[in-house]
């Protein structure tokens, strides 16, 4: 009886793998120093600035899983939207925005 109780307790204590958040989800410090929140929305992830001059502005949407994501990213200063991608590596997120897939800019964000 004790063994069964221990096994049941162990099962409830284990993290639920199916409910694990994607690595891109969370709060990130952008290259400009603002905080951006990346959270599930629709079938992907929305990027919304939480602090700084453009707080509350949605600046992107990405789809993907694991470490690689793609979608669109908007420069909040100019309101221009670019084809974008993001790659998560540990506590870093490399964001890249491109025009015509040849003129690209990238920056690294840090997980908060």
């Amino acid at each position: 009886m004790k063994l069964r109780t221990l096994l049941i307790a162990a099962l409830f204590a284990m993290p639920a793998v199916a409910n694990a958040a994607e690595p891109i989800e969370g709060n990130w410090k952008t290259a400009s120093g603002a905080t951006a929140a990346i959270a599930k929305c629709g079938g992907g992830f929305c990027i919304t600035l939480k602090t700084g001059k453009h707080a509350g502005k949605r600046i992107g949407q990405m789809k993907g899983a694991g470490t690689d994501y793609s979608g669109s990213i908007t420069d909040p200063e100019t309101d221009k939207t670019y084809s974008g991608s993001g790659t998560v590596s540990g506590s870093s997120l490399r964001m890249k925005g491109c025009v015509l897939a040849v003129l690209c800019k990238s920056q690294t964000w840090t997980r908060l």
Side-chain angles (χ1 to χ4, degrees):
M1 195 73 149
K2 286 183 182 181
L3 180 58
R4 181 179 172 181
T5 304
L6 285 172
L7 288 173
I8 291 171
L11 286 174
F12 282 110
M14 293 175 69
V17 175
N19 291 331
E22 284 293 326
I24 199 168
E25 287 183 84
N27 293 314
W28 299 87
K29 183 177 183 180
T30 69
S32 69
T35 298
I38 302 179
K40 286 184 181 179
C41 77
F45 303 92
C46 291
I47 307 166
T48 305
L49 292 174
K50 294 297 184 184
T51 64
K53 182 177 169 183
H54 302 284
K57 186 171 192 169
R58 188 167 120 185
I59 61 164
Q61 189 161 354
M62 298 275 176
K63 288 187 177 189
T67 59
D68 298 313
Y69 301 83
S70 62
S72 62
I73 190 86
T74 300
D75 180 343
E77 291 290 328
T78 63
D79 278 333
K80 291 185 179 181
T81 301
Y82 303 95
S83 172
S85 65
T87 304
V88 180
S89 177
S91 62
S92 295
L93 172 60
R94 184 167 184 256
M95 296 295 283
K96 185 176 177 182
C98 299
V99 176
L100 302 173
V102 291
L103 300 172
C104 300
K105 280 190 173 182
S106 64
Q107 52 184 244
T108 301
W109 297 1
T110 306
R111 186 180 299 279
L112 296 175

